[in-house]
Amino acid sequence: MSTYTLSFAHLYGDLMNTYGDYGNFIAFNYYAKKIGVQTEYHLVSLDDKFDAEAFDFALFGGGQDYEESIVAEDLKYKVDDIKDYIENNGPLLAICGGFQLLGHYIEMADGSKVDGISVMDHYTTNMYQDNLTVLKGQRLTGNIVIKNNDTHEEYHGFENHQGRTFLGKDERALGTVISGNGNNGMDKTEGVIYKNVYGSYFHGPIFTRNGNLAKRLLVTSLERKYPGIDWHSQLEAIETESF
Amino acid sequence: MTLRSIVARATAKSAHWFLHDVMHRGGTSLPGKLAVAIDPNILKSIQQDFDLVIVTGTNGKTLTTALITRVLQAGGYEVITNHSGSNMIQGVTGTLVTRKIKPSSNGKKPIAVLEVDEANVEKITHAIKPKMFVLTNIFRDQLDRYGEIYTTYDKIIAGIKHAPEAVVLANGDSPLFTRGDFPNERRYFGFNHISPENYTPGPAPINTDGILSPTDHTVLNYDFITYANLGKYFSNSDDFARPNLRYQVTSIDKLTPNYSTFAIDGTPLRIEIGGLYNIYNALTAFSVGREFDVSPEQIKTAFESNAQIFGRQEAIHVDGKDVTIVLIKNPVGTNSVIDMMLTEDHEFSLLILLNANYADGIDTSWIWDAEFEKLHDTNIKAVATGGERHKDISVRLKMAGFEDQATYKDLATVVQAIKAMPTEKVYVAATYTAMLQLRQQLGSAGFIKGGF
Ligand SMILES: [Zn+2]
């Protein structure tokens, strides 16, 4: 029997769960199971403590504006733990609203501003900003393809967001936009990589359609918890779903 | 009525007559456009001729509207109603100005029961004041043109505010419908079929939308959930809870894919269609009927004598296979279909066809919010996948644990796919345009007549 178990935190999984974000967990779990690794799912929601030591992987999905503003209030009590987790190289996938909330602030469609937790250096304006030269006043919606600059892997997904995110100086993009709009429609960046945090606007969800990325974060999580085992070649033997 | 209104009505009626009776085309918006062009106040000028009931919400409008119509007719009312294809302002205007109403012999005022698109409620209430708003539910849909469930509800409220005298008859099981600041009297219907000793208090499953309390924004708990975010909810932090129900499902006796038996306020009822969500549709119609003093016996008769209007899940025979086609379009609807399959006693196979054209929703990510994992609890024997986005749906089912599946990349092979299934009973679940293609294939192979 397997003795390897990854503890999975779903941040606000009951509130931030639009457009199949949960599918990222399904895919992560699918590849883990194939190599005999168990996963333990934990919902971390309003008023719950996020114990930075307790988790091997975290997912933070997107939500509707109302839920996002409630979550933003609650996040203030989790900032230190989330920062610890990130700075200690905890693997985290943040999609859409989750990605936005890790940065400095978010400007909602109605112009109101919601505080992020500034554990990362990006910020998000709304679609009406004067400096927008692309699709001002419109949601960025449609199929998107990007290329990761380190691995040259292509990722496929669907983007659907009004917010325009601009990366900070210590952040690099998850990929360069090949087709579609990405973070803001202007600078060809999509998503973010900072330490072991991967942020993206991709629905799809990103792990289901990009098995190579799911496997990469699975390996990262496993190596962090169970070093000295060749997880990579074990996963290599499993067919990668990519479409 | 002004001369202008008379001309407007006459023009619309003759356009309707020409399109409907001569050209055999229903559901066109042309008569409404013509009438409005001639007299923008046309709706105001005819509103004293009938009481208006507006049915709105994201799911179940069409069947609910049809059921309400039959129920009110059984109660002796003359009823005007619209087709699902004409639920925007032009279509509604067209329906009202071209109506054919016999003078009533029983002194009851005719009732117009109109299915209205959520974003068009306000446009209509600007022109005409309804007697009642009927709110079915609001679920998120990848097709949603208006974004969030709260935004959708706000559009409806904007319409309600124009008619403060109207009663709002709403699904009390949806926490959403307790929201909103408007003076109208609210009456609720819902499910109360579980006795308190069988309650299972707790939060909704994580992938459920709309579960925050409107009072203090805490996550709601439920004594029981019927489906999605519908059920008997309460707050742990204050005394917010589901409002008192005026009409309620008091028991559920049998659920099958083809019919359901249940009781509302103690009256035993049967509808010729499966799915818990259809019991909500029946409950809604029952509630409207009671509001207009239709007796429970008359409502029961209305349900039983109109079995054909439930005919959305059509049974088809393909070389010895007993095929049932169901439309899937969003996670809540798909979960309802899976729940219905849990009530299937026979072994069955499932073919799922996914397209992502505009009418299906171009984003396929919703399939990850539907609980295909639950299919393991049914009598399912085989799964096959297909459609233009066969890869997406095939990987979804694979990751749900159905690794062994045939995949049909080309919808032209769909008849073969059905024949290749190992069981006599075959369900085909398809998104909208996949269903049209499927019907075309079945039609040209001679298994169904005509188009749709
Ligand atoms: Zn999004």
Side-chain angles (χ1 to χ4, degrees):
Chain A
M1 278 310 289
S2 157
T3 54
Y4 302 110
T5 304
L6 292 178
S7 194
F8 186 102
H10 194 176
L11 283 163
Y12 307 98
D14 51 351
L15 300 171
M16 304 287 278
N17 54 14
T18 48
Y19 305 113
D21 290 338
Y22 181 73
N24 290 303
F25 175 65
I26 297 176
F28 189 88
N29 192 43
Y30 169 83
Y31 292 111
K33 243 179 152 173
K34 288 271 178 192
I35 55 167
V37 172
Q38 306 290 311
T39 54
E40 233 173 52
Y41 177 91
H42 299 273
L43 171 67
V44 179
S45 190
L46 303 179
D47 300 325
D48 297 336
K49 186 176 163 60
F50 178 77
D51 183 350
E53 307 278 289
F55 300 113
D56 309 306
F57 184 82
L59 170 67
F60 193 0
Q64 310 183 73
D65 284 0
Y66 167 49
E67 277 85 359
E68 198 165 324
S69 65
I70 301 302
V71 164
E73 283 304 305
D74 185 81
L75 267 177
K76 291 175 180 163
Y77 304 97
K78 295 186 174 72
V79 180
D80 293 343
D81 292 313
I82 293 174
K83 193 172 178 63
D84 277 356
Y85 179 78
I86 291 173
E87 294 303 319
N88 287 313
N89 300 311
L92 193 158
L93 177 68
I95 302 297
C96 207
F99 166 33
Q100 296 171 347
L101 282 167
L102 296 175
H104 297 301
Y105 66 85
I106 304 144
E107 205 173 35
M108 299 298 199
D110 65 4
S112 63
K113 230 179 196 179
V114 167
D115 287 336
I117 54 173
S118 296
V119 295
M120 290 168 66
D121 203 20
H122 52 273
Y123 62 93
T124 303
T125 68
N126 73 15
M127 59 187 174
Y128 303 109
Q129 279 309 302
D130 288 339
N131 58 351
L132 292 180
T133 55
V134 174
L135 294 169
K136 187 173 165 176
Q138 291 179 52
R139 290 181 76 83
L140 303 180
T141 302
N143 293 310
I144 174 164
V145 180
I146 63 170
K147 190 171 200 158
N148 182 286
N149 299 320
D150 305 327
T151 63
H152 304 293
E153 286 171 349
E154 270 190 12
Y155 302 135
H156 296 244
F158 189 91
E159 60 180 336
N160 181 7
H161 55 110
Q162 74 83 20
R164 307 301 207 260
T165 297
F166 296 88
L167 299 181
K169 53 183 183 317
D170 290 337
E171 297 181 318
R172 58 208 163 96
L174 173 62
T176 299
V177 175
I178 295 173
S179 65
N181 294 293
N183 287 339
N184 49 52
M186 300 194 301
D187 64 14
K188 293 279 171 203
T189 66
E190 202 302 313
V192 69
I193 302 176
Y194 170 74
K195 297 204 166 221
N196 286 328
V197 180
Y198 289 67
S200 177
Y201 274 113
F202 272 43
H203 298 294
I206 193 165
F207 278 180
T208 66
R209 295 188 59 184
N210 305 281
N212 38 17
L213 187 64
K215 284 179 165 184
R216 179 191 317 282
L217 268 88
L218 181 55
V219 167
T220 305
S221 310
L222 284 164
E223 282 175 346
R224 188 166 167 262
K225 184 164 190 184
Y226 302 110
I229 298 172
D230 186 4
W231 296 110
H232 208 278
S233 42
Q234 286 192 46
L235 270 173
E236 211 138 81
I238 312 297
E239 187 191 351
T240 307
E241 299 300 341
S242 184
F243 58 96
Chain B
M1 193 177 271
T2 61
L3 180 60
R4 197 182 180 114
S5 299
I6 292 167
V7 172
R9 267 203 76 185
T11 307
K13 277 193 156 177
S14 57
H16 176 77
W17 167 80
F18 179 72
L19 290 164
H20 189 266
D21 298 351
V22 181
M23 303 292 286
H24 302 288
R25 286 174 53 189
T28 164
S29 61
L30 185 63
K33 280 185 185 148
L34 288 173
V36 173
I38 296 165
D39 180 6
N41 293 315
I42 181 77
L43 284 178
K44 274 197 184 91
S45 71
I46 58 173
Q47 74 166 323
Q48 70 283 351
D49 299 352
F50 47 80
D51 283 334
L52 174 61
V53 175
I54 284 182
V55 183
T56 193
T58 55
N59 294 40
K61 285 192 290 284
T62 303
L63 182 56
T64 301
T65 301
L67 278 174
I68 294 171
T69 298
R70 299 314 199 282
V71 163
L72 292 175
Q73 284 168 338
Y77 289 93
E78 289 294 336
V79 182
I80 308 154
T81 190
N82 58 338
H83 304 284
S84 61
S86 36
N87 65 10
M88 311 272 194
I89 179 75
Q90 307 290 7
V92 166
T93 308
T95 299
L96 291 177
V97 296
T98 61
R99 69 195 192 271
K100 289 175 190 155
I101 279 281
K102 286 169 279 170
S104 86
S105 51
N106 56 15
K108 288 182 173 171
K109 198 170 183 182
I111 302 174
V113 182
L114 300 180
E115 165 185 346
V116 177
D117 171 82
E118 305 86 87
N120 278 258
V121 174
E122 189 182 6
K123 289 181 194 149
I124 287 159
T125 55
H126 245 280
I128 186 166
K129 303 297 168 235
K131 190 179 174 78
M132 183 182 288
F133 292 96
V134 179
L135 312 185
T136 60
N137 52 51
I138 297 179
F139 299 125
R140 194 154 45 82
D141 194 299
Q142 71 282 0
L143 273 180
D144 201 336
R145 293 143 289 169
Y146 316 112
E148 310 193 345
I149 54 177
Y150 305 100
T151 322
T152 304
Y153 185 44
D154 285 345
K155 308 252 177 202
I156 295 174
I157 292 175
I160 290 175
K161 283 184 168 168
H162 286 296
E165 304 290 313
V167 168
V168 174
L169 183 65
N171 186 342
D173 288 352
S174 170
L176 214 58
F177 293 142
T178 60
R179 288 177 179 270
D181 178 24
F182 49 85
N184 305 53
E185 190 189 335
R186 305 191 201 197
R187 296 173 187 166
Y188 293 100
F189 53 84
F191 274 49
N192 243 345
H193 61 301
I194 293 177
S195 50
E197 64 270 21
N198 294 322
Y199 286 172
T200 49
I206 57 142
N207 237 354
T208 309
D209 281 326
I211 48 149
L212 284 171
S213 166
T215 54
D216 60 1
H217 316 297
T218 54
V219 175
L220 289 169
N221 282 277
Y222 286 80
D223 285 327
F224 61 81
I225 287 177
T226 52
Y227 73 97
N229 67 339
L230 305 181
K232 187 168 184 295
Y233 53 83
F234 62 94
S235 166
N236 264 348
S237 58
D238 60 19
D239 56 8
F240 176 75
R242 184 176 74 171
N244 287 329
L245 304 177
R246 194 172 172 119
Y247 307 102
Q248 47 198 331
V249 169
T250 42
S251 72
I252 292 178
D253 305 306
K254 190 153 177 59
L255 298 173
T256 81
N258 306 314
Y259 71 90
S260 302
T261 56
F262 53 95
I264 300 177
D265 297 336
T267 302
L269 297 162
R270 177 180 162 121
I271 54 173
E272 302 304 317
I273 191 169
L276 205 59
Y277 53 100
N278 284 313
I279 300 183
Y280 270 103
N281 296 336
L283 171 63
T284 312
F286 186 99
S287 307
V288 175
R290 295 297 295 131
E291 289 287 313
F292 284 93
D293 283 324
V294 183
S295 73
E297 293 68 34
Q298 287 171 320
I299 297 172
K300 186 179 168 70
T301 308
F303 287 172
E304 283 166 7
S305 57
N306 289 285
Q308 79 287 351
I309 66 168
F310 297 110
R312 275 190 110 179
Q313 290 158 23
E314 168 189 20
I316 295 162
H317 296 279
V318 176
D319 283 3
K321 302 286 186 201
D322 171 14
V323 182
T324 304
I325 302 176
V326 287
L327 179 70
I328 52 172
K329 58 166 198 164
N330 58 25
V332 167
T334 305
N335 286 340
S336 300
V337 164
I338 294 168
D339 283 346
M340 185 194 72
M341 288 173 184
L342 285 166
T343 67
E344 174 59 78
D345 292 332
H346 301 95
E347 293 190 341
F348 70 92
S349 308
L350 172 61
L351 169 63
I352 310 183
L353 306 174
L354 180 71
N355 279 2
N357 297 307
Y358 183 75
D360 306 290
I362 56 172
D363 176 12
T364 58
S365 61
W366 66 272
I367 61 175
W368 296 90
D369 284 325
E371 262 190 285
F372 291 104
E373 286 77 7
K374 250 192 181 172
L375 284 169
H376 289 292
D377 302 332
T378 67
N379 286 315
I380 198 162
K381 287 292 161 270
V383 169
T385 48
E388 292 161 8
R389 296 296 290 266
H390 56 87
K391 186 69 187 171
D392 300 59
I393 191 66
S394 145
V395 170
R396 175 68 189 95
L397 270 294
K398 190 175 178 179
M399 290 189 175
F402 296 95
E403 304 239 357
D404 183 22
Q405 45 167 291
T407 297
Y408 298 88
K409 299 184 165 77
D410 185 354
L411 268 164
T413 60
V414 72
V415 175
Q416 273 64 46
I418 291 170
K419 289 181 184 169
M421 289 301 204
T423 56
E424 188 187 325
K425 177 97 215 160
V426 177
Y427 282 95
V428 184
T431 60
Y432 185 70
T433 66
M435 176 172 287
L436 297 186
Q437 291 163 4
L438 164 71
R439 293 188 63 89
Q440 197 179 14
Q441 294 297 322
L442 288 170
S444 53
F447 294 110
I448 53 171
K449 269 192 250 131
F452 29 87

